[in-house]
Each structure stands twice: as structure tokens, then as C-alpha cells.
Amino acid sequence: MSTERPNSAVASGQPLTSASEQSTREFARRLRVHVLRMTHRARASHVGTCLSIADVLAVLYGAVARVDPTNPDWHGRDRVIMSKGHGAAALYAALVVRGFFPEEWLDRYCQDGALPGHVTHRGVPGVDASTGSLGHGLSLGCGMALAAQSERLDRRTFVILSDGELDEGSIWEALMFAAHHRLGRLFAVIDYNKIQSFGRVEEVLALEPLAAKLRAFGWNVVEVDGHDHAALSRALTQLPQAAPTVLIAHTVKGKGVSFMEDRLEWHYRSPSDEQLAAGLLELGAVV
Amino acid sequence: MRTAFIESLCEAAAGDPNIWLLTGDLGYSVLEVFSQRFPDRYVNVGVAEQNMMGVAAGLAMSGKTVVAYSIVNFVTLRCLEQIRCDICYHGASVKIVGVGGGYAYGALGHTHHGIEDLSVLGSMPGVDVVAPADPIETRLAVQTLLQRKGPAYLRLGKAGEPKVHQNSPAFGVGSIVPVREGRDVLFITTGGLLEEALRASQQLVAAGLDPAVWSNPWLRPFDVARVTAAAKDFAVIVTAEEGVITGGLGARVAQIISGMEGSRARHIGVGVPPEVGPSALSQKAARARFGLDANALAAQALAAMKRS
């Protein structure tokens, strides 16, 4: 395990300037283009969930998280756990845009022996934890944050959750644990796109009043527009507090591709040739 | 066994600052010696075993060696997917310790019968699975597992089991521990049934036979070589486990024997059927009911020898 300091490529961890916001917006645009191409090529599902979290990942990997693509196992790096592991395409794309591995790897998404449809760390630089079954990532993050706290390291742990994932009881076990142990450098981000696997969140299993529940569990709660880069950056770079922080990121499933936005079906469908072309056009990519 | 466990854990932790202990709110009058001595490396996570396993994996992925402790079913079945995905898939050095293996808490009812753990954990990828026979094997198992990287499951009984071994035996990773030499019938046990098999062997000696008794603490890695050799050397092999017969010691031995060619031992696999059983069932009564006590083991071995 490397303990070297990061090189200059490490993100600053500071709030966004207008120039850097421009760059995270470009990061998110490229990420979305990758996601469309990957899910189209692989005929894979979960494109909607990848698009809804694209801006969070762009801000995290483009500006906030102290990680080093040239030294992915650096002990002092911030940890990022994609607990909603079905957003794998978005995470892999973010790691490519950040420079962890070559873009060509994305061409073989979901192919035999290549990047799988849920997040794996095995053979993939920059992935801190494998996920795919919901309700696991926050506990992993608690363990990592507890280890950092015990070593008095200033590294942060970011855990990205889906809204449907909050149905899992293990999440609430972990929420209690993090608050009890005052894991102030632990950040959870809830991708609150209001649609879960088989219906609207409020119809399947109501989460509201979500912010009040999370506050009652002892967390510092920040509600943000999950597509507003400046707001995301401000919330994710706030000084550590005694309590862990959760961002309720209000998002739109399928964000960025008009005909996919807020539609349950894009949890499952993969874009056809025509839909890919239309989506890439909206994203300003060369078809 | 619990005392031997915590003593050897404390000894190891004194020499290795990376060893942590987590508990799911159990271990009264057992774990205090650790928590008082190493308070910064002890966490009672509460009655939340799924979270405990995730936290354990997260700590281990940050360089710690983590012992996660609770009653057998709570620390295995309740959080099985966390074990599979968070611990095994990451190769995390989490040593899961279950107390109350088999019917150690039999009188407490169905929820506390720890009988599927060895079978189920033995199906998880890359886990050491160890069920020591007595406090001496427990101590050796703790020392060995803490020195090995990766996941492990250690099944313990409760407190107060007698020492079966007279001295500290050779305890290689994945090795059977021969306890009594013999020629015609071989008992292989896992966990605390060793003492029953030893008493059964005395009955067989009285009946004019020359039985051997082996303790098999390691369900994984498994001592394939020694069992293969035994299947050629003995007329009858009796396996005994205080757990379901689907997927444990007997199933493993049967798999090995069935793959062999030529003359080989007859195998009697004694264990618990995977069915709903009686609720309150003391360990003594359970062993008698499922043919696992000394009398029943001796009788089954004798019958098999007569048929072979």
C-alpha cells in the first residue's frame, strides 16, 4: 500500500470557481456520452440511473475527491463507494474521464471477462469497493471512515446511494452507526431521482419526510439540486463536522437526454441506434 | 472455548496493533478483557450484524485485521450476503467468530441452533472454515487464522468445554489432527464431537476392534490427501458433525470417496437432517437424537463393520 503524497493531478478539494465549474460540466457531458455509448453497445440497462448521478460523479471526480490516477492505491486518498452499484457504467466512465484507465476499456463493458454491469474493483484501478447488491456501501464506508478516524487521517469517504436503496434496513443500521461514532468525514449522497426499480418511490415505499428522518438519525443534512455543480461542490467541500453529512441530491432519472428523463422504462431499456444518435446529438457529441 | 478464544486474541492483539474486535452486542463476561485492554480497537456495533460485517470489511480494506463476534446464526446467516459480497469478494481479512456452534445453546430454541453455518460458510468463496474440538485447538486456530490473510469463519462452542487434547498437537492449515491411532474403523469429527468419538472408540476397543479417531477442525481448506489415504486404509469411516448433513464434513468426505476407484472405505455420515426439529433441545439430548453421542456412534460403527 502506497503512502506517497499525491502528485499535482490531485483535485484541489476547494469549492468550484466558474472556470472549474465549466470543466466539471464538460466532465459530466463526456461521462454521459460514454454512458450512452456503453449501454447502447452492450444492450445494457440502467442508463437512467447512470444519467441521474452523472453530475454528482463529475463534481466528485472532477473537483472534490482527492484521488490520484497515477497512484490509485495511495493510502491517504479519499474513498468513493458507488453503493448503487447498478450505476457502474457511470462510475467507469467517470474513472476514464479522470484518467484512471484507458477509454477503450469502456468498449467492452458487459462483455465476457471485461467490466461487469455492476461495480467491481477487481482489475479496475480507482474503484474502492465492489457493489451491486443494494444496502452494502454505507457500512463499508463506515468501516473506512472509522479506520481513517482511528489513524487521524484527514481523508474523506464518499458513499453514493440510490433512493430505492434506502428501503434496505442495513442502510439505517449504518446511518445509526455513523452518527453514533461521529464520523464527520463521511459523506453520503442520495441520488434522489424519485423512481426506483418498479415504480415511483413514494408509491412503492414512501421515504418522506426524508430530510427529517435523516436529521433524526443524527446526520447533518443538506438538500441540493443534484445537477447544480456549484451547489454540489459547496456541500461536498464543507468543513468536517462532528456528525456525518448526507446530501439529498434531487435529481432527474435520465437527466440530459430529454426522452429518457423521469421515465421508469429507462431503468431497463438500452438505447437503439436511433435513440443513441438522438441522445448524442442532445449532448453535443459527434455521432 | 470462548475463554481460549479471547485469551489468544488478546495475546495476538498485544503484538499487532492492526487487530480489531467488533461484536454484535454479545460477549458479556467474555470480551471485556479485550475491550478494557484495547478500547481503541474494540467496537460494539449494536444488534446490527449486516452493518457489522460491512464495517468489518471496510476496516479490513483499510489495512486492519478484524474479528467479528456474535452467536453463530447472527454472524453467519443474518448477514450472509455481506459476507459474500463485502468480505469474500474483497478478500478482506475479517475473521468471523460464531459462538454456540451446533446445539451448544440448544435449550434456547430453534433460533439458536447453529447447525447450517459450516455448510453455508463452506460455500462462500475463499473462506477458511474452522471448527475446533476443544480449548487447545481453539487457541491454535485463533493464532493461525490471525496470521493468514483473507476471510475466515471460526465456529466455537460455548464456555467450559473440557480439554480433549493432552498436549498442543500439530495444527497445520487445512490439516486433520490425528488423535488416536487405529486400523479398522476411523472416526472423523469436527468441532466438539471429538470427545464423543473418543468415548465411542473406547467402547469399540472393548468390543475387540482397533478404532482410529481424527479431529478435523478445518472444513476449508480440507485435508483431501489424508481422507483419500484413509479411504484406502480403513474398512469403515464414520464422520460426525453437529450440523446439517448437507454440505458439511460428511458431504465432503463422501464426495472424495465417491470419486475414488477400486476398493475403498464404507462411509457413514452422521449429522443433522435439514428439517425443522424440536425447539428446546439440550446439547446432550440433541447428540443422542441425531446419533452423535458416544453410544450411538459406537453402535453405528459396529453395525457398519459387521456389514463390511
Side-chain angles (χ1 to χ4, degrees):
Chain A
M1 194 177 293
S2 171
T3 55
E4 291 164 37
R5 299 301 303 168
N7 68 13
S8 56
V10 174
S12 67
Q14 299 299 313
L16 290 182
T17 62
S18 61
S20 54
E21 178 168 351
Q22 229 173 7
S23 99
T24 60
R25 291 225 153 267
E26 174 59 13
F27 192 121
R29 193 190 66 81
R30 289 173 60 195
L31 191 163
R32 287 189 163 98
V33 168
H34 281 313
V35 162
L36 281 194
R37 290 197 164 124
M38 290 162 77
T39 51
H40 165 263
R41 193 183 298 113
R43 300 187 187 285
S45 51
H46 301 137
V47 59
T49 196
C50 289
L51 294 175
S52 77
I53 200 62
D55 293 298
V56 168
L57 285 169
V59 171
L60 255 184
Y61 280 103
V64 172
R66 286 169 302 190
V67 292
D68 181 0
T70 66
N71 188 7
D73 296 329
W74 166 43
H75 186 57
R77 73 189 184 279
D78 289 339
R79 304 296 199 266
V80 180
I81 300 171
M82 187 73 163
S83 191
K84 45 170 279 183
H86 54 301
L91 178 65
Y92 300 146
L95 292 170
V96 161
V97 176
R98 190 68 180 83
F100 277 92
F101 53 87
E103 188 176 324
E104 292 71 46
W105 289 23
L106 303 181
D107 296 344
R108 300 197 58 236
Y109 174 63
C110 284
Q111 292 189 24
D112 291 349
L115 299 171
H118 290 86
V119 174
T120 187
H121 72 287
R122 296 175 79 92
V124 188
V127 175
D128 287 317
S130 296
T131 53
S133 172
L134 297 176
H136 290 236
L138 192 57
S139 297
L140 287 171
C142 285
M144 292 179 185
L146 186 64
Q149 188 184 66
S150 78
E151 293 176 32
R152 295 184 171 76
L153 294 172
D154 67 354
R155 74 165 186 239
R156 296 162 298 176
T157 303
F158 300 98
V159 181
I160 298 170
L161 305 164
S162 75
D163 44 16
E165 181 171 16
L166 301 187
D167 295 354
E168 295 282 4
S170 54
I171 292 290
W172 300 87
E173 294 181 7
L175 287 167
M176 286 174 72
F177 181 92
H180 181 88
H181 291 279
R182 304 168 74 85
L183 300 177
R185 292 178 186 277
L186 175 65
F187 290 76
V189 180
I190 298 169
D191 179 11
Y192 197 10
N193 60 35
K194 324 290 188 298
I195 299 179
Q196 57 187 99
S197 177
F198 203 7
R200 296 260 160 202
V201 167
E202 285 309 297
E203 291 166 6
V204 176
L205 194 58
L207 285 177
E208 293 297 338
L210 181 57
K213 284 177 185 167
L214 295 167
R215 278 194 193 97
F217 271 67
W219 283 60
N220 173 38
V221 181
V222 185
E223 292 202 61
V224 290
D225 174 344
H227 305 299
D228 178 340
H229 287 214
L232 284 167
S233 169
R234 268 196 307 277
L236 290 169
T237 52
Q238 64 181 286
L239 292 174
Q241 315 207 358
T245 294
V246 56
L247 273 65
I248 300 177
H250 293 280
T251 56
V252 176
K253 194 157 189 148
K255 175 72 176 182
V257 177
S258 57
F259 58 88
M260 293 183 179
E261 290 188 356
D262 200 33
R263 309 258 318 239
L264 172 70
E265 67 203 68
W266 288 103
H267 196 81
Y268 301 99
R269 293 180 61 183
S270 57
S272 65
D273 294 349
E274 296 73 24
Q275 286 163 334
L276 172 69
L280 291 178
L281 196 65
E282 287 191 33
L283 293 169
V286 179
V287 178
Chain B
M1 285 193 201
R2 289 191 312 195
T3 309
F5 155 73
I6 196 65
E7 283 177 5
S8 41
L9 177 62
C10 285
E11 286 162 19
D16 181 352
N18 277 320
I19 292 177
W20 282 57
L21 172 61
L22 308 185
T23 175
D25 202 33
L26 287 169
Y28 176 75
S29 83
V30 178
L31 303 186
E32 291 87 343
V33 286
F34 188 102
S35 63
Q36 285 160 12
R37 202 165 156 198
F38 311 105
D40 297 340
R41 294 188 266 148
Y42 166 81
V43 185
N44 179 352
V45 301
V47 191
E49 295 82 7
Q50 295 181 76
N51 184 53
M52 174 163 73
M53 289 310 176
V55 169
L59 283 165
M61 288 155 73
S62 308
K64 315 299 180 193
T65 300
V66 185
V67 174
Y69 177 98
S70 189
I71 286 177
V72 160
N73 289 337
F74 313 155
V75 84
T76 57
L77 305 184
R78 180 57 173 260
C79 47
L80 185 61
E81 202 193 43
Q82 277 77 10
I83 293 173
R84 179 176 183 268
C85 299
D86 303 340
I87 296 174
C88 296
Y89 190 71
H90 292 94
S93 288
V94 176
K95 314 299 178 180
I96 303 160
V97 178
V99 291
Y103 290 92
Y105 299 141
L108 300 184
H110 172 76
T111 52
H112 286 57
H113 296 168
I115 53 176
E116 294 93 357
D117 55 334
L118 297 176
S119 166
V120 171
L121 268 288
S123 304
M124 294 293 111
V127 191
D128 292 338
V129 178
V130 186
D134 76 344
I136 290 175
E137 284 190 15
T138 299
R139 177 173 288 278
L140 294 166
V142 171
Q143 292 165 354
T144 307
L145 291 177
L146 287 173
Q147 283 168 12
R148 273 167 71 77
K149 289 213 176 303
Y153 173 58
L154 177 67
R155 179 213 248 202
L156 301 179
K158 45 186 179 181
E161 290 93 344
K163 284 183 184 175
V164 180
H165 292 287
Q166 305 305 312
N167 303 301
S168 195
F171 197 80
V173 172
S175 291
I176 277 173
V177 181
V179 180
R180 186 187 195 284
E181 301 284 326
R183 284 186 310 159
D184 38 29
V185 56
L186 166 65
F187 292 103
I188 309 178
T189 64
T190 195
L193 287 175
L194 176 61
E195 57 167 324
E196 301 284 355
L198 282 170
R199 280 193 277 121
S201 72
Q202 289 162 9
Q203 295 185 25
L204 295 190
V205 169
L209 291 172
D210 184 14
V213 180
W214 292 355
S215 174
N216 181 70
W218 294 85
L219 279 303
R220 281 181 63 186
F222 193 75
D223 199 340
V224 176
R226 207 184 285 260
V227 169
T228 304
K232 294 173 186 157
D233 294 344
F234 290 88
V236 170
I237 296 177
V238 178
T239 56
E241 56 203 309
E242 204 166 307
V244 291
I245 52 173
T246 43
L249 169 67
R252 194 77 184 89
V253 168
Q255 191 179 39
I256 291 166
I257 293 178
S258 68
M260 292 171 61
E261 291 176 359
S263 143
R264 58 210 176 165
R266 178 184 170 80
H267 171 225
I268 310 294
V270 189
V272 181
E275 294 163 6
V276 175
S279 290
L281 194 65
S282 70
Q283 190 163 45
K284 187 166 186 283
R287 288 180 178 180
R289 181 187 181 97
F290 297 115
L292 292 164
D293 67 2
N295 289 339
L297 289 175
Q300 290 168 96
L302 273 174
M305 285 300 288
K306 280 180 188 153
R307 287 198 302 271
S308 68

